[in-house]
PDB file of all heavy atoms in Angstrom:
ATOM      1  N   PRO A   1     -11.022   7.254   3.120  1.00 98.00           N
ATOM      2  CA  PRO A   1     -10.441   6.366   2.071  1.00 98.00           C
ATOM      3  C   PRO A   1     -11.189   6.312   0.846  1.00 98.00           C
ATOM      4  O   PRO A   1     -12.419   6.254   0.810  1.00 98.00           O
ATOM      5  CB  PRO A   1     -10.331   5.033   2.791  1.00 98.00           C
ATOM      6  CG  PRO A   1     -10.355   5.323   4.298  1.00 98.00           C
ATOM      7  CD  PRO A   1     -11.180   6.524   4.496  1.00 98.00           C
ATOM      8  N   ILE A   2     -10.503   6.388  -0.259  1.00 98.00           N
ATOM      9  CA  ILE A   2     -11.149   6.291  -1.612  1.00 98.00           C
ATOM     10  C   ILE A   2     -11.503   4.811  -1.791  1.00 98.00           C
ATOM     11  O   ILE A   2     -10.537   3.931  -1.721  1.00 98.00           O
ATOM     12  CB  ILE A   2     -10.183   6.729  -2.737  1.00 98.00           C
ATOM     13  CG1 ILE A   2      -9.979   8.259  -2.662  1.00 98.00           C
ATOM     14  CG2 ILE A   2     -10.644   6.268  -4.110  1.00 98.00           C
ATOM     15  CD1 ILE A   2     -11.125   9.072  -3.111  1.00 98.00           C
ATOM     16  N   ASN A   3     -12.748   4.553  -2.244  1.00 97.00           N
ATOM     17  CA  ASN A   3     -13.083   3.102  -2.449  1.00 97.00           C
ATOM     18  C   ASN A   3     -13.272   2.947  -3.935  1.00 97.00           C
ATOM     19  O   ASN A   3     -13.076   3.892  -4.716  1.00 97.00           O
ATOM     20  CB  ASN A   3     -14.404   2.697  -1.649  1.00 97.00           C
ATOM     21  CG  ASN A   3     -15.542   3.680  -2.004  1.00 97.00           C
ATOM     22  OD1 ASN A   3     -15.729   4.153  -3.208  1.00 97.00           O
ATOM     23  ND2 ASN A   3     -16.393   3.983  -1.099  1.00 97.00           N
ATOM     24  N   GLN A   4     -13.567   1.695  -4.361  1.00 96.00           N
ATOM     25  CA  GLN A   4     -13.609   1.465  -5.810  1.00 96.00           C
ATOM     26  C   GLN A   4     -14.790   2.245  -6.492  1.00 96.00           C
ATOM     27  O   GLN A   4     -14.627   2.614  -7.700  1.00 96.00           O
ATOM     28  CB  GLN A   4     -13.809  -0.014  -6.084  1.00 96.00           C
ATOM     29  CG  GLN A   4     -12.514  -0.749  -5.720  1.00 96.00           C
ATOM     30  CD  GLN A   4     -12.553  -2.181  -6.406  1.00 96.00           C
ATOM     31  OE1 GLN A   4     -13.029  -2.447  -7.354  1.00 96.00           O
ATOM     32  NE2 GLN A   4     -11.840  -3.208  -5.697  1.00 96.00           N
ATOM     33  N   ASP A   5     -15.885   2.486  -5.846  1.00 97.00           N
ATOM     34  CA  ASP A   5     -16.981   3.317  -6.457  1.00 97.00           C
ATOM     35  C   ASP A   5     -16.449   4.709  -6.787  1.00 97.00           C
ATOM     36  O   ASP A   5     -16.741   5.234  -7.763  1.00 97.00           O
ATOM     37  CB  ASP A   5     -18.218   3.287  -5.498  1.00 97.00           C
ATOM     38  CG  ASP A   5     -18.875   1.895  -5.503  1.00 97.00           C
ATOM     39  OD1 ASP A   5     -18.797   1.212  -6.487  1.00 97.00           O
ATOM     40  OD2 ASP A   5     -19.499   1.628  -4.534  1.00 97.00           O
ATOM     41  N   CYS A   6     -15.770   5.260  -5.811  1.00 97.00           N
ATOM     42  CA  CYS A   6     -15.138   6.535  -5.927  1.00 97.00           C
ATOM     43  C   CYS A   6     -14.168   6.674  -7.162  1.00 97.00           C
ATOM     44  O   CYS A   6     -14.157   7.528  -7.926  1.00 97.00           O
ATOM     45  CB  CYS A   6     -14.472   7.017  -4.690  1.00 97.00           C
ATOM     46  SG  CYS A   6     -15.517   7.418  -3.276  1.00 97.00           S
ATOM     47  N   ALA A   7     -13.414   5.523  -7.151  1.00 97.00           N
ATOM     48  CA  ALA A   7     -12.337   5.484  -8.245  1.00 97.00           C
ATOM     49  C   ALA A   7     -12.953   5.433  -9.615  1.00 97.00           C
ATOM     50  O   ALA A   7     -12.425   6.009 -10.546  1.00 97.00           O
ATOM     51  CB  ALA A   7     -11.486   4.209  -7.972  1.00 97.00           C
ATOM     52  N   GLN A   8     -14.146   4.843  -9.662  1.00 97.00           N
ATOM     53  CA  GLN A   8     -14.877   4.791 -11.006  1.00 97.00           C
ATOM     54  C   GLN A   8     -15.315   6.192 -11.448  1.00 97.00           C
ATOM     55  O   GLN A   8     -15.115   6.591 -12.623  1.00 97.00           O
ATOM     56  CB  GLN A   8     -16.006   3.773 -10.877  1.00 97.00           C
ATOM     57  CG  GLN A   8     -15.716   2.387 -10.791  1.00 97.00           C
ATOM     58  CD  GLN A   8     -14.952   1.690 -11.867  1.00 97.00           C
ATOM     59  OE1 GLN A   8     -14.911   2.254 -12.897  1.00 97.00           O
ATOM     60  NE2 GLN A   8     -14.327   0.578 -11.682  1.00 97.00           N
ATOM     61  N   ILE A   9     -15.823   6.944 -10.511  1.00 96.00           N
ATOM     62  CA  ILE A   9     -16.186   8.327 -10.855  1.00 96.00           C
ATOM     63  C   ILE A   9     -14.958   9.158 -11.260  1.00 96.00           C
ATOM     64  O   ILE A   9     -14.980   9.861 -12.254  1.00 96.00           O
ATOM     65  CB  ILE A   9     -16.817   9.007  -9.616  1.00 96.00           C
ATOM     66  CG1 ILE A   9     -18.061   8.364  -9.264  1.00 96.00           C
ATOM     67  CG2 ILE A   9     -17.058  10.540  -9.910  1.00 96.00           C
ATOM     68  CD1 ILE A   9     -18.801   8.909  -8.111  1.00 96.00           C
ATOM     69  N   LEU A  10     -13.843   9.043 -10.502  1.00 97.00           N
ATOM     70  CA  LEU A  10     -12.702   9.835 -10.732  1.00 97.00           C
ATOM     71  C   LEU A  10     -11.969   9.405 -12.073  1.00 97.00           C
ATOM     72  O   LEU A  10     -11.515  10.296 -12.801  1.00 97.00           O
ATOM     73  CB  LEU A  10     -11.661   9.545  -9.556  1.00 97.00           C
ATOM     74  CG  LEU A  10     -12.176  10.007  -8.180  1.00 97.00           C
ATOM     75  CD1 LEU A  10     -11.238   9.694  -7.042  1.00 97.00           C
ATOM     76  CD2 LEU A  10     -12.291  11.548  -8.222  1.00 97.00           C
ATOM     77  N   SER A  11     -11.942   8.173 -12.359  1.00 96.00           N
ATOM     78  CA  SER A  11     -11.278   7.766 -13.568  1.00 96.00           C
ATOM     79  C   SER A  11     -12.081   8.047 -14.863  1.00 96.00           C
ATOM     80  O   SER A  11     -11.511   8.114 -15.933  1.00 96.00           O
ATOM     81  CB  SER A  11     -10.937   6.239 -13.447  1.00 96.00           C
ATOM     82  OG  SER A  11     -12.123   5.535 -13.445  1.00 96.00           O
ATOM     83  N   ALA A  12     -13.383   8.240 -14.676  1.00 96.00           N
ATOM     84  CA  ALA A  12     -14.240   8.507 -15.751  1.00 96.00           C
ATOM     85  C   ALA A  12     -14.229   9.988 -16.159  1.00 96.00           C
ATOM     86  O   ALA A  12     -14.857  10.392 -17.160  1.00 96.00           O
ATOM     87  CB  ALA A  12     -15.728   8.055 -15.433  1.00 96.00           C
ATOM     88  N   ASN A  13     -13.494  10.843 -15.308  1.00 96.00           N
ATOM     89  CA  ASN A  13     -13.523  12.281 -15.635  1.00 96.00           C
ATOM     90  C   ASN A  13     -12.079  12.809 -15.507  1.00 96.00           C
ATOM     91  O   ASN A  13     -11.248  12.104 -14.925  1.00 96.00           O
ATOM     92  CB  ASN A  13     -14.385  12.915 -14.632  1.00 96.00           C
ATOM     93  CG  ASN A  13     -15.866  12.611 -14.692  1.00 96.00           C
ATOM     94  OD1 ASN A  13     -16.582  13.081 -15.666  1.00 96.00           O
ATOM     95  ND2 ASN A  13     -16.426  11.649 -13.850  1.00 96.00           N
ATOM     96  N   TYR A  14     -11.850  14.018 -16.037  1.00 96.00           N
ATOM     97  CA  TYR A  14     -10.533  14.479 -16.091  1.00 96.00           C
ATOM     98  C   TYR A  14     -10.271  15.363 -14.820  1.00 96.00           C
ATOM     99  O   TYR A  14     -10.954  16.461 -14.573  1.00 96.00           O
ATOM    100  CB  TYR A  14     -10.275  15.322 -17.300  1.00 96.00           C
ATOM    101  CG  TYR A  14      -9.016  16.185 -17.250  1.00 96.00           C
ATOM    102  CD1 TYR A  14      -7.806  15.554 -17.092  1.00 96.00           C
ATOM    103  CD2 TYR A  14      -9.049  17.486 -17.395  1.00 96.00           C
ATOM    104  CE1 TYR A  14      -6.564  16.218 -17.042  1.00 96.00           C
ATOM    105  CE2 TYR A  14      -7.862  18.273 -17.426  1.00 96.00           C
ATOM    106  CZ  TYR A  14      -6.583  17.570 -17.232  1.00 96.00           C
ATOM    107  OH  TYR A  14      -5.500  18.278 -17.171  1.00 96.00           O
ATOM    108  N   PHE A  15      -9.292  14.970 -14.005  1.00 97.00           N
ATOM    109  CA  PHE A  15      -8.863  15.647 -12.841  1.00 97.00           C
ATOM    110  C   PHE A  15      -7.410  15.808 -12.892  1.00 97.00           C
ATOM    111  O   PHE A  15      -6.641  14.894 -13.462  1.00 97.00           O
ATOM    112  CB  PHE A  15      -9.376  15.031 -11.474  1.00 97.00           C
ATOM    113  CG  PHE A  15     -10.867  14.992 -11.312  1.00 97.00           C
ATOM    114  CD1 PHE A  15     -11.461  13.782 -11.503  1.00 97.00           C
ATOM    115  CD2 PHE A  15     -11.606  16.137 -11.064  1.00 97.00           C
ATOM    116  CE1 PHE A  15     -12.858  13.748 -11.353  1.00 97.00           C
ATOM    117  CE2 PHE A  15     -12.897  16.119 -10.916  1.00 97.00           C
ATOM    118  CZ  PHE A  15     -13.562  14.857 -11.020  1.00 97.00           C
ATOM    119  N   GLU A  16      -6.836  16.752 -12.240  1.00 96.00           N
ATOM    120  CA  GLU A  16      -5.423  16.963 -12.139  1.00 96.00           C
ATOM    121  C   GLU A  16      -4.699  16.198 -11.039  1.00 96.00           C
ATOM    122  O   GLU A  16      -3.650  15.575 -11.058  1.00 96.00           O
ATOM    123  CB  GLU A  16      -5.026  18.433 -12.041  1.00 96.00           C
ATOM    124  CG  GLU A  16      -5.223  19.278 -13.365  1.00 96.00           C
ATOM    125  CD  GLU A  16      -3.965  19.187 -14.248  1.00 96.00           C
ATOM    126  OE1 GLU A  16      -2.912  18.768 -13.779  1.00 96.00           O
ATOM    127  OE2 GLU A  16      -4.183  19.527 -15.439  1.00 96.00           O
ATOM    128  N   VAL A  17      -5.480  16.283  -9.792  1.00 97.00           N
ATOM    129  CA  VAL A  17      -4.936  15.701  -8.556  1.00 97.00           C
ATOM    130  C   VAL A  17      -6.047  14.997  -7.802  1.00 97.00           C
ATOM    131  O   VAL A  17      -7.103  15.471  -7.782  1.00 97.00           O
ATOM    132  CB  VAL A  17      -4.296  16.883  -7.742  1.00 97.00           C
ATOM    133  CG1 VAL A  17      -3.653  16.274  -6.496  1.00 97.00           C
ATOM    134  CG2 VAL A  17      -3.381  17.730  -8.491  1.00 97.00           C
ATOM    135  N   ILE A  18      -5.737  13.891  -7.233  1.00 98.00           N
ATOM    136  CA  ILE A  18      -6.486  13.186  -6.221  1.00 98.00           C
ATOM    137  C   ILE A  18      -5.690  13.189  -4.911  1.00 98.00           C
ATOM    138  O   ILE A  18      -4.635  12.633  -4.902  1.00 98.00           O
ATOM    139  CB  ILE A  18      -6.961  11.843  -6.614  1.00 98.00           C
ATOM    140  CG1 ILE A  18      -7.526  11.814  -8.099  1.00 98.00           C
ATOM    141  CG2 ILE A  18      -8.007  11.303  -5.639  1.00 98.00           C
ATOM    142  CD1 ILE A  18      -8.827  12.578  -8.242  1.00 98.00           C
ATOM    143  N   ALA A  19      -6.292  13.671  -3.826  1.00 98.00           N
ATOM    144  CA  ALA A  19      -5.597  13.607  -2.554  1.00 98.00           C
ATOM    145  C   ALA A  19      -6.569  12.955  -1.563  1.00 98.00           C
ATOM    146  O   ALA A  19      -7.692  13.416  -1.290  1.00 98.00           O
ATOM    147  CB  ALA A  19      -5.068  14.900  -2.102  1.00 98.00           C
ATOM    148  N   ALA A  20      -6.084  11.873  -0.832  1.00 98.00           N
ATOM    149  CA  ALA A  20      -6.925  11.176   0.127  1.00 98.00           C
ATOM    150  C   ALA A  20      -6.114  10.602   1.248  1.00 98.00           C
ATOM    151  O   ALA A  20      -4.827  10.455   1.089  1.00 98.00           O
ATOM    152  CB  ALA A  20      -7.678   9.947  -0.574  1.00 98.00           C
ATOM    153  N   PRO A  21      -6.610  10.361   2.399  1.00 98.00           N
ATOM    154  CA  PRO A  21      -5.748   9.712   3.373  1.00 98.00           C
ATOM    155  C   PRO A  21      -5.331   8.333   3.162  1.00 98.00           C
ATOM    156  O   PRO A  21      -4.279   7.919   3.653  1.00 98.00           O
ATOM    157  CB  PRO A  21      -6.726   9.843   4.693  1.00 98.00           C
ATOM    158  CG  PRO A  21      -8.170   9.819   4.063  1.00 98.00           C
ATOM    159  CD  PRO A  21      -8.013  10.589   2.763  1.00 98.00           C
ATOM    160  N   SER A  22      -6.051   7.562   2.342  1.00 98.00           N
ATOM    161  CA  SER A  22      -5.726   6.219   1.987  1.00 98.00           C
ATOM    162  C   SER A  22      -6.520   5.828   0.726  1.00 98.00           C
ATOM    163  O   SER A  22      -7.586   6.573   0.379  1.00 98.00           O
ATOM    164  CB  SER A  22      -5.782   5.269   3.104  1.00 98.00           C
ATOM    165  OG  SER A  22      -7.173   5.178   3.592  1.00 98.00           O
ATOM    166  N   TYR A  23      -6.131   4.623   0.187  1.00 98.00           N
ATOM    167  CA  TYR A  23      -6.824   4.154  -0.921  1.00 98.00           C
ATOM    168  C   TYR A  23      -7.137   2.662  -0.638  1.00 98.00           C
ATOM    169  O   TYR A  23      -6.212   1.843  -0.288  1.00 98.00           O
ATOM    170  CB  TYR A  23      -6.048   4.293  -2.182  1.00 98.00           C
ATOM    171  CG  TYR A  23      -5.763   5.721  -2.586  1.00 98.00           C
ATOM    172  CD1 TYR A  23      -4.769   6.468  -1.955  1.00 98.00           C
ATOM    173  CD2 TYR A  23      -6.583   6.312  -3.598  1.00 98.00           C
ATOM    174  CE1 TYR A  23      -4.643   7.817  -2.295  1.00 98.00           C
ATOM    175  CE2 TYR A  23      -6.452   7.524  -3.941  1.00 98.00           C
ATOM    176  CZ  TYR A  23      -5.404   8.394  -3.294  1.00 98.00           C
ATOM    177  OH  TYR A  23      -5.252   9.723  -3.586  1.00 98.00           O
ATOM    178  N   GLU A  24      -8.464   2.196  -0.778  1.00 97.00           N
ATOM    179  CA  GLU A  24      -8.754   0.833  -0.557  1.00 97.00           C
ATOM    180  C   GLU A  24      -8.223  -0.057  -1.666  1.00 97.00           C
ATOM    181  O   GLU A  24      -7.826   0.351  -2.850  1.00 97.00           O
ATOM    182  CB  GLU A  24     -10.263   0.685  -0.471  1.00 97.00           C
ATOM    183  CG  GLU A  24     -10.839   1.285   0.706  1.00 97.00           C
ATOM    184  CD  GLU A  24     -12.406   1.131   0.928  1.00 97.00           C
ATOM    185  OE1 GLU A  24     -12.887   0.308   0.058  1.00 97.00           O
ATOM    186  OE2 GLU A  24     -12.988   1.646   1.821  1.00 97.00           O
ATOM    187  N   GLU A  25      -8.087  -1.316  -1.442  1.00 95.00           N
ATOM    188  CA  GLU A  25      -7.473  -2.303  -2.407  1.00 95.00           C
ATOM    189  C   GLU A  25      -8.224  -2.200  -3.729  1.00 95.00           C
ATOM    190  O   GLU A  25      -9.498  -2.194  -3.829  1.00 95.00           O
ATOM    191  CB  GLU A  25      -7.642  -3.635  -1.801  1.00 95.00           C
ATOM    192  CG  GLU A  25      -6.869  -4.770  -2.681  1.00 95.00           C
ATOM    193  CD  GLU A  25      -6.852  -6.142  -2.001  1.00 95.00           C
ATOM    194  OE1 GLU A  25      -7.472  -6.305  -0.865  1.00 95.00           O
ATOM    195  OE2 GLU A  25      -6.526  -7.133  -2.713  1.00 95.00           O
ATOM    196  N   GLY A  26      -7.435  -2.191  -4.799  1.00 94.00           N
ATOM    197  CA  GLY A  26      -8.004  -2.138  -6.132  1.00 94.00           C
ATOM    198  C   GLY A  26      -8.248  -0.785  -6.667  1.00 94.00           C
ATOM    199  O   GLY A  26      -8.540  -0.662  -7.877  1.00 94.00           O
ATOM    200  N   THR A  27      -8.215   0.207  -5.902  1.00 97.00           N
ATOM    201  CA  THR A  27      -8.601   1.626  -6.410  1.00 97.00           C
ATOM    202  C   THR A  27      -7.488   2.219  -7.182  1.00 97.00           C
ATOM    203  O   THR A  27      -7.681   2.824  -8.217  1.00 97.00           O
ATOM    204  CB  THR A  27      -9.036   2.518  -5.200  1.00 97.00           C
ATOM    205  OG1 THR A  27      -7.914   2.512  -4.249  1.00 97.00           O
ATOM    206  CG2 THR A  27     -10.200   2.039  -4.493  1.00 97.00           C
ATOM    207  N   VAL A  28      -6.213   2.087  -6.687  1.00 97.00           N
ATOM    208  CA  VAL A  28      -5.084   2.780  -7.322  1.00 97.00           C
ATOM    209  C   VAL A  28      -4.989   2.238  -8.842  1.00 97.00           C
ATOM    210  O   VAL A  28      -4.725   3.014  -9.780  1.00 97.00           O
ATOM    211  CB  VAL A  28      -3.822   2.485  -6.562  1.00 97.00           C
ATOM    212  CG1 VAL A  28      -2.626   3.024  -7.332  1.00 97.00           C
ATOM    213  CG2 VAL A  28      -3.866   3.257  -5.222  1.00 97.00           C
ATOM    214  N   GLU A  29      -5.129   0.968  -9.086  1.00 96.00           N
ATOM    215  CA  GLU A  29      -5.047   0.392 -10.292  1.00 96.00           C
ATOM    216  C   GLU A  29      -6.021   1.057 -11.327  1.00 96.00           C
ATOM    217  O   GLU A  29      -5.843   1.318 -12.492  1.00 96.00           O
ATOM    218  CB  GLU A  29      -5.392  -1.067 -10.330  1.00 96.00           C
ATOM    219  CG  GLU A  29      -4.148  -1.841  -9.626  1.00 96.00           C
ATOM    220  CD  GLU A  29      -4.151  -1.781  -8.112  1.00 96.00           C
ATOM    221  OE1 GLU A  29      -5.081  -1.311  -7.574  1.00 96.00           O
ATOM    222  OE2 GLU A  29      -3.145  -2.126  -7.593  1.00 96.00           O
ATOM    223  N   ILE A  30      -7.331   1.341 -10.769  1.00 97.00           N
ATOM    224  CA  ILE A  30      -8.262   2.035 -11.574  1.00 97.00           C
ATOM    225  C   ILE A  30      -7.841   3.456 -11.894  1.00 97.00           C
ATOM    226  O   ILE A  30      -7.932   3.843 -13.047  1.00 97.00           O
ATOM    227  CB  ILE A  30      -9.610   2.059 -10.907  1.00 97.00           C
ATOM    228  CG1 ILE A  30     -10.093   0.560 -10.642  1.00 97.00           C
ATOM    229  CG2 ILE A  30     -10.694   2.909 -11.672  1.00 97.00           C
ATOM    230  CD1 ILE A  30     -11.393   0.524  -9.806  1.00 97.00           C
ATOM    231  N   LEU A  31      -7.414   4.187 -10.894  1.00 97.00           N
ATOM    232  CA  LEU A  31      -6.966   5.502 -11.185  1.00 97.00           C
ATOM    233  C   LEU A  31      -5.822   5.703 -11.994  1.00 97.00           C
ATOM    234  O   LEU A  31      -5.621   6.723 -12.737  1.00 97.00           O
ATOM    235  CB  LEU A  31      -6.662   6.190  -9.699  1.00 97.00           C
ATOM    236  CG  LEU A  31      -7.924   6.290  -8.758  1.00 97.00           C
ATOM    237  CD1 LEU A  31      -7.494   6.787  -7.419  1.00 97.00           C
ATOM    238  CD2 LEU A  31      -8.817   7.265  -9.394  1.00 97.00           C
ATOM    239  N   LYS A  32      -4.805   4.702 -12.014  1.00 96.00           N
ATOM    240  CA  LYS A  32      -3.577   4.868 -12.846  1.00 96.00           C
ATOM    241  C   LYS A  32      -3.877   4.777 -14.314  1.00 96.00           C
ATOM    242  O   LYS A  32      -2.955   4.977 -15.018  1.00 96.00           O
ATOM    243  CB  LYS A  32      -2.587   3.730 -12.377  1.00 96.00           C
ATOM    244  CG  LYS A  32      -1.860   4.060 -11.131  1.00 96.00           C
ATOM    245  CD  LYS A  32      -0.715   3.106 -10.803  1.00 96.00           C
ATOM    246  CE  LYS A  32       0.116   3.573  -9.634  1.00 96.00           C
ATOM    247  NZ  LYS A  32       1.263   2.615  -9.328  1.00 96.00           N
ATOM    248  N   ALA A  33      -5.091   4.431 -14.657  1.00 94.00           N
ATOM    249  CA  ALA A  33      -5.377   4.478 -16.139  1.00 94.00           C
ATOM    250  C   ALA A  33      -5.204   5.846 -16.643  1.00 94.00           C
ATOM    251  O   ALA A  33      -4.954   6.077 -17.755  1.00 94.00           O
ATOM    252  CB  ALA A  33      -6.896   4.057 -16.305  1.00 94.00           C
ATOM    253  N   ARG A  34      -5.397   6.911 -15.742  1.00 94.00           N
ATOM    254  CA  ARG A  34      -5.072   8.256 -16.177  1.00 94.00           C
ATOM    255  C   ARG A  34      -3.529   8.569 -15.840  1.00 94.00           C
ATOM    256  O   ARG A  34      -3.121   8.767 -14.721  1.00 94.00           O
ATOM    257  CB  ARG A  34      -5.940   9.271 -15.343  1.00 94.00           C
ATOM    258  CG  ARG A  34      -7.382   9.104 -15.575  1.00 94.00           C
ATOM    259  CD  ARG A  34      -7.803   9.931 -16.846  1.00 94.00           C
ATOM    260  NE  ARG A  34      -9.229   9.933 -16.995  1.00 94.00           N
ATOM    261  CZ  ARG A  34      -9.827  10.718 -17.900  1.00 94.00           C
ATOM    262  NH1 ARG A  34      -9.026  11.477 -18.681  1.00 94.00           N
ATOM    263  NH2 ARG A  34     -11.063  10.668 -18.126  1.00 94.00           N
ATOM    264  N   LYS A  35      -2.718   8.423 -16.932  1.00 93.00           N
ATOM    265  CA  LYS A  35      -1.266   8.479 -16.707  1.00 93.00           C
ATOM    266  C   LYS A  35      -0.697   9.820 -16.136  1.00 93.00           C
ATOM    267  O   LYS A  35       0.246   9.786 -15.402  1.00 93.00           O
ATOM    268  CB  LYS A  35      -0.611   8.202 -18.042  1.00 93.00           C
ATOM    269  CG  LYS A  35      -0.985   6.943 -18.645  1.00 93.00           C
ATOM    270  CD  LYS A  35      -0.474   5.659 -17.706  1.00 93.00           C
ATOM    271  CE  LYS A  35      -0.884   4.359 -18.503  1.00 93.00           C
ATOM    272  NZ  LYS A  35      -0.603   3.233 -17.538  1.00 93.00           N
ATOM    273  N   ASN A  36      -1.417  10.909 -16.398  1.00 92.00           N
ATOM    274  CA  ASN A  36      -0.898  12.219 -15.937  1.00 92.00           C
ATOM    275  C   ASN A  36      -1.518  12.628 -14.617  1.00 92.00           C
ATOM    276  O   ASN A  36      -1.218  13.740 -14.132  1.00 92.00           O
ATOM    277  CB  ASN A  36      -1.134  13.325 -17.085  1.00 92.00           C
ATOM    278  CG  ASN A  36      -0.256  13.060 -18.192  1.00 92.00           C
ATOM    279  OD1 ASN A  36       0.955  12.755 -18.024  1.00 92.00           O
ATOM    280  ND2 ASN A  36      -0.824  13.465 -19.375  1.00 92.00           N
ATOM    281  N   LEU A  37      -2.396  11.784 -14.004  1.00 96.00           N
ATOM    282  CA  LEU A  37      -3.029  12.137 -12.818  1.00 96.00           C
ATOM    283  C   LEU A  37      -2.079  12.044 -11.637  1.00 96.00           C
ATOM    284  O   LEU A  37      -1.286  11.087 -11.511  1.00 96.00           O
ATOM    285  CB  LEU A  37      -4.222  11.171 -12.566  1.00 96.00           C
ATOM    286  CG  LEU A  37      -4.928  11.311 -11.228  1.00 96.00           C
ATOM    287  CD1 LEU A  37      -5.678  12.676 -11.199  1.00 96.00           C
ATOM    288  CD2 LEU A  37      -5.959  10.160 -11.030  1.00 96.00           C
ATOM    289  N   ARG A  38      -2.026  13.086 -10.801  1.00 96.00           N
ATOM    290  CA  ARG A  38      -1.281  13.016  -9.571  1.00 96.00           C
ATOM    291  C   ARG A  38      -2.111  12.388  -8.502  1.00 96.00           C
ATOM    292  O   ARG A  38      -3.124  12.840  -8.151  1.00 96.00           O
ATOM    293  CB  ARG A  38      -0.820  14.395  -9.031  1.00 96.00           C
ATOM    294  CG  ARG A  38       0.192  15.098  -9.957  1.00 96.00           C
ATOM    295  CD  ARG A  38      -0.479  15.991 -10.969  1.00 96.00           C
ATOM    296  NE  ARG A  38       0.448  16.934 -11.534  1.00 96.00           N
ATOM    297  CZ  ARG A  38       0.143  17.709 -12.583  1.00 96.00           C
ATOM    298  NH1 ARG A  38      -1.026  17.648 -13.141  1.00 96.00           N
ATOM    299  NH2 ARG A  38       1.056  18.536 -13.025  1.00 96.00           N
ATOM    300  N   ILE A  39      -1.653  11.225  -8.016  1.00 97.00           N
ATOM    301  CA  ILE A  39      -2.427  10.537  -6.983  1.00 97.00           C
ATOM    302  C   ILE A  39      -1.600  10.623  -5.645  1.00 97.00           C
ATOM    303  O   ILE A  39      -0.567  10.028  -5.531  1.00 97.00           O
ATOM    304  CB  ILE A  39      -2.582   9.000  -7.333  1.00 97.00           C
ATOM    305  CG1 ILE A  39      -3.253   8.872  -8.757  1.00 97.00           C
ATOM    306  CG2 ILE A  39      -3.428   8.314  -6.332  1.00 97.00           C
ATOM    307  CD1 ILE A  39      -3.219   7.449  -9.336  1.00 97.00           C
TER     308      ILE A  39
END
């Protein structure tokens, strides 16, 4: 599962896709700051 610490790394850099088995509470909101990111 992606946690908030992971989400901070991911949102601070440019990626095309993030794929994980699940996302802990609060992580998706951080990642969605990247509008074109496929989550």
Side-chain angles (χ1 to χ4, degrees):
I2 291 288
N3 58 39
Q4 291 198 30
D5 289 335
C6 291
Q8 294 294 346
I9 295 177
L10 297 170
S11 63
N13 297 281
Y14 171 57
F15 297 106
E16 287 274 345
V17 186
I18 309 295
S22 61
Y23 295 81
E24 293 184 4
E25 186 177 353
T27 58
V28 170
E29 290 73 16
I30 296 172
L31 295 174
K32 281 188 173 181
R34 294 278 186 174
K35 300 299 182 185
N36 289 326
L37 177 65
R38 291 92 166 173
I39 305 172

